[in-house]
Amino acid sequence: MNLDILLGLQWGDEGKGKIVDVLTPEYEVIARFQGGPNAGHTLEFNGLKHVLHIIPSGIFHEDKINIIGNGVVIDPVIFKKEIEALEKMGANPVKNLYISKKAHLILPTHKLLDAALESRKGSQKIGSTLKGIGPTYTDKTARNGLRVLDLFAPNFNEKWDAAIANHQDLLDKYNFEYQEILPQMITEWLESIKTLTRFTCIDSEYEVNQYLNDHKKILAEGAQGTLLDVDFGSYPFVTSSNTVAAGAFTGLGVAPSKSGKVIGIVKAYCTRVGSGPFPTELFDETGEQLRKQGFEFGSTTGRPRRCGWLDLVALKYSIMINGVTEMVLTKADVMNNFDTIQVCTSYNMNGEITDRFPANTDAEVEPVYTTFQGWNCDINTIKNYDQLPVAFKSYVDFIEKETGVKISIVSTGPDRSETIIRS
Ligand code: GDP
Ligand code: IMO
Ligand code: MG
């Protein structure tokens, strides 16, 4: 069996959590492969709304195995809160959630370093979620990180002391005030590892490969989006992991020769939280309308998301890098009452028309738009693709024709049930 991968094709928050939850019945295992609590994946069903940060979005299906892979970074404090929230809802995640021994741990001082580094950047700040993601991946690649397996090792205290002392040196150098808050953060962290160590910690690469050999279907769940990838996003305004399909192979220990479907999630317009280029961003009433009607406020930080039109230059770039085999279109219902809808089909860069996504973050990019007629009706309750309005289907046809990739699912609302699967 091959590994299917589901990931975001824009700047995150495309609706990955909802779609993983919808697709989970087709799979036996759901595995997160990168990122950490910077992610916020929202699921809605049976009148309930739930946001997951580190835990895979298959967790509400009790008969399915969920894995936090080696490529993920875990904050035990946030993990504990997530587990407590799930247990309150009657779930029993200890039974169906396994954690890679190789996943790296976010320490309290990683979060402080994140804040210190952001404040030093001033107007060039990334707009990080301040969950300690950058400093944790930095320690991982610098070979200074602590991993889940260290929690069970006799020399844990030694490793912990060395890491904290190293971080304190850096914080002192940055003149960052941490003395008052650190002791409480450390107490909370050490308390939280009691929850983490209750879970089955596994050599996830062995387990995942065994599942595939046993013909079990696995869905790898991406976090963030392609345009936030550390290599291919709008660097430096990116996250610190490989959010693209290739990240699933390193983040789970699966060979690229075992690649299955690559399911790309695309929002019918674009949003971005934090700093960095966003060619189709709208600063007018329409942008405000998208934000209001789409409830575009961060699932992790509550920050208002920047909103703009769908960008096909960026989308085609994402499709190329990920080798997307099918797409899921989400949140088109947010534009139910729009008279017209714009889609960016190329960029004008200093008088030259291009369909390439620029490597340079400072590039002056002016989007060239094609205008579509809005469908001006409520699509949320429609269950059959053929019953969707003609104007909506023209919009879908255009995206498919431009990208060469089929849209296999249309999401028409936040709830699990508001989903049209095309035959
Ligand atoms: P993720 O990070 O990709 O999982 O996305 P988020 O959960 O951060 O943000 C997506 C938001 O849109 C959440 O509030 C979802 O409940 C909501 N959502 C998902 N799909 C749809 C859709 O098709 N229509 C509408 N209106 N909302 C949706
Ligand atoms: P999901 O999985 C949207 C953004 C932050 C910031 C940049 C770096 O819910 O789609 P970091 O905390 O990683 O150092 O922040 O990346 N960012 C996200 N934006 N959705 C996310 O995750 C994000 N995770 C990080 O806003 O601009
Ligand atoms: Mg999100």
Side-chain angles (χ1 to χ4, degrees):
M1 192 57 75
N2 289 337
L3 178 75
D4 289 352
I5 303 168
L6 180 149
L7 42 71
L9 297 179
Q10 293 151 319
W11 285 278
D13 304 327
E14 298 90 349
K16 299 176 291 295
K18 170 194 161 159
I19 303 302
V20 171
D21 174 58
V22 166
L23 294 180
T24 296
E26 285 183 30
Y27 290 88
E28 276 154 290
V29 181
I30 308 296
R32 273 279 302 270
F33 59 89
Q34 48 69 232
N38 48 349
H41 295 180
T42 315
L43 284 69
E44 285 193 41
F45 54 92
N46 303 342
L48 212 119
K49 178 176 170 169
H50 197 83
V51 183
L52 294 164
H53 300 286
I54 310 169
I55 296 171
S57 301
I59 199 70
F60 288 102
H61 299 256
E62 275 179 29
D63 54 331
K64 309 294 175 177
I65 294 165
N66 288 262
I67 295 178
I68 298 177
N70 57 278
V72 176
V73 290
I74 303 175
D75 180 344
V77 177
I78 294 177
F79 180 81
K80 178 174 185 258
K81 286 185 185 145
E82 284 201 71
I83 294 299
E84 283 170 354
L86 288 172
E87 286 176 340
K88 235 190 201 159
M89 292 166 71
N92 186 11
V94 175
K95 255 179 59 189
N96 65 335
L97 175 65
Y98 305 152
I99 303 169
S100 165
K101 290 179 193 167
K102 292 192 171 90
H104 277 247
L105 296 168
I106 301 177
L107 306 188
T109 37
H110 283 134
K111 287 194 261 191
L112 297 173
L113 279 168
D114 215 354
L117 291 164
E118 272 286 77
S119 76
R120 280 165 65 83
K121 286 192 156 102
S123 65
Q124 286 306 299
K125 77 175 178 76
I126 294 163
S128 161
T129 58
L130 301 179
K131 302 294 178 193
I133 304 295
T136 306
Y137 279 114
T138 302
D139 270 350
K140 175 178 175 173
T141 45
R143 295 154 296 176
N144 290 326
L146 260 71
R147 298 182 292 170
V148 167
L149 61 85
D150 289 316
L151 295 173
F152 303 93
N155 64 348
F156 170 74
N157 286 345
E158 233 170 83
K159 285 194 173 178
W160 161 271
D161 287 344
I164 299 289
N166 182 25
H167 295 161
Q168 279 178 305
D169 282 350
L170 288 170
L171 291 165
D172 288 337
K173 185 169 163 280
Y174 300 149
N175 287 323
F176 191 79
E177 294 286 333
Y178 64 88
Q179 289 81 356
E180 266 189 41
I181 45 172
L182 185 58
Q184 171 57 26
M185 288 173 86
I186 288 181
T187 307
E188 197 180 11
W189 197 94
L190 293 172
E191 184 60 32
S192 303
I193 60 176
K194 289 183 197 154
T195 302
L196 189 54
T197 50
R198 270 171 51 211
F199 282 77
T200 310
C201 298
I202 58 169
D203 294 306
S204 58
E205 59 280 25
Y206 276 106
E207 307 303 331
V208 166
N209 279 291
Q210 190 62 53
Y211 291 136
L212 292 175
N213 291 340
D214 293 346
H215 301 286
K216 292 203 162 117
K217 283 188 80 183
I218 306 184
L219 181 65
E221 173 181 2
Q224 290 79 57
T226 303
L227 305 173
L228 289 171
D229 180 271
V230 67
D231 281 282
F232 298 105
S234 38
Y235 193 89
F237 302 103
V238 292
T239 189
S240 300
S241 65
N242 280 118
T243 61
V244 295
F249 302 109
T250 55
L252 292 173
V254 173
S257 57
K258 295 203 174 137
S259 180
K261 290 189 212 170
V262 180
I263 306 165
I265 314 298
V266 53
K267 207 180 268 196
Y269 48 94
C270 282
T271 60
R272 177 166 199 166
V273 219
S275 326
F278 182 176
T280 60
E281 182 168 10
L282 292 165
F283 299 95
D284 57 5
E285 260 309 296
T286 311
E288 197 50 47
Q289 210 180 340
L290 285 171
R291 187 157 33 250
K292 257 204 195 140
Q293 293 177 193
F295 298 104
E296 294 296 357
F297 296 89
S299 313
T300 296
T301 58
R303 289 178 293 176
R305 295 175 182 151
R306 299 155 64 192
C307 297
W309 296 119
L310 180 65
D311 181 341
L312 288 184
V313 178
L315 182 61
K316 285 190 219 173
Y317 172 74
S318 296
I319 288 170
M320 173 183 76
I321 288 166
N322 293 305
V324 173
T325 57
E326 60 189 88
M327 290 191 289
V328 176
L329 185 70
T330 61
K331 302 196 84 160
D333 57 291
V334 169
M335 301 189 290
N336 277 347
N337 61 350
F338 280 34
D339 288 332
T340 56
I341 289 163
Q342 312 242 69
V343 178
C344 166
T345 47
S346 57
Y347 294 157
N348 182 341
M349 290 173 69
N350 300 319
E352 221 173 89
I353 302 295
T354 177
D355 61 358
R356 284 199 170 208
F357 193 74
N360 179 3
T361 309
D362 299 328
E364 297 254 336
V365 171
E366 200 192 308
V368 178
Y369 288 110
T370 299
T371 304
F372 286 81
Q373 209 54 45
W375 40 94
N376 264 304
C377 68
D378 192 341
I379 59 166
N380 300 61
T381 50
I382 297 175
K383 295 284 171 238
N384 189 324
Y385 189 80
D386 295 336
Q387 284 160 6
L388 284 163
V390 173
F392 179 84
K393 285 192 276 195
S394 308
Y395 183 64
V396 170
D397 288 347
F398 183 76
I399 299 169
E400 288 187 329
K401 196 162 147 266
E402 284 285 309
T403 59
V405 181
K406 188 172 163 66
I407 293 175
S408 56
I409 298 178
V410 175
S411 170
T412 57
D415 195 86
R416 196 188 262 177
S417 64
E418 292 169 306
T419 310
I420 301 173
I421 304 202
R422 288 174 80 183
S423 52

